[in-house]
Amino acid sequence: MAKKDHISETPATQLLKRHGVAFTGHAYDYVEHGGAQHSAAVLGLDPHAVVKTLVMQDQDARPLLVLMHGDRQVSTKNLARQIGAKSVEPCKPEVANRHSGYLVGGTSPFGTRRAMPVYIEQGILALPRIAINGGRRGYLVQIDPQVCVQLLGARPVECALPL
């Protein structure tokens, strides 16, 4: 069920407002390991336009963010090759939480505790609007995907694989 509760501000929504970014917030009942598929289903959104924020690291444990379609997964091999890394792997949840300042399942690329390079699956930039985490479990914001490039310096990559 979609929630109608008011969501208090998060570092992500504060950053978007500070930069004058138009967004609409969507609260829903968070389900552990439900992911983008669950949020898309309860909010009536296309999972392809629901964007996951994934905290990963390279071979030297340097963190990076990957923005991926909700109905795709990351080819870490392709990603590593495109960003000039030997390897890339997902961070353990506690490490991801420490880098981002958010809880896994509520990670937004906006307003992270630590500045990290951001990579965005190229196809996301072709969408008219995306839904991406607003900085809390059970909360998405809909924005223009170009905001990810403008505010985060997100670099386009091609590393999507079917789920």
Side-chain angles (χ1 to χ4, degrees):
M1 272 304 198
K3 261 198 215 168
K4 300 291 185 259
D5 304 344
H6 172 73
I7 294 283
S8 58
E9 291 215 330
T10 67
T13 58
Q14 289 170 347
L15 182 115
L16 293 172
K17 285 178 181 172
R18 207 167 42 247
H19 288 276
V21 174
F23 69 90
T24 52
H26 302 277
Y28 64 94
D29 287 319
Y30 175 78
V31 174
E32 194 78 33
H33 306 297
Q37 300 288 331
H38 169 72
S39 58
V42 298
L43 294 172
L45 301 171
D46 176 354
H48 198 67
V50 174
V51 175
K52 303 183 276 198
T53 304
L54 306 167
V55 184
M56 299 195 161
Q57 63 186 18
D58 68 10
Q59 69 282 349
D60 299 318
R62 284 188 299 247
L64 55 113
L65 293 178
V66 181
L67 306 181
M68 181 54 67
H69 295 286
D71 59 354
R72 300 284 187 274
Q73 61 184 337
V74 175
S75 164
T76 53
K77 199 164 83 179
N78 287 348
L79 178 62
R81 191 172 60 244
Q82 289 178 57
I83 67 172
K86 286 188 185 89
S87 65
V88 173
E89 65 182 8
C91 288
K92 289 181 170 46
E94 61 277 9
V95 174
N97 294 346
R98 201 166 56 242
H99 288 318
S100 71
Y102 293 113
L103 292 174
V104 168
T107 305
S108 177
F110 302 104
T112 55
R113 175 179 293 153
R114 181 174 179 177
M116 295 174 265
V118 180
Y119 300 94
I120 185 167
E121 176 58 34
Q122 191 172 304
I124 293 169
L125 295 172
L127 298 170
R129 279 181 81 68
I130 58 170
I132 194 162
N133 197 285
R136 177 167 289 126
R137 289 174 170 178
Y139 184 60
L140 298 181
V141 292
Q142 280 190 298
I143 58 170
D144 178 325
Q146 298 303 321
V147 170
C148 299
V149 175
Q150 294 155 358
L151 286 189
L152 305 171
R155 299 201 337 241
V157 290
E158 288 185 58
C159 60
L161 292 174
L163 277 180

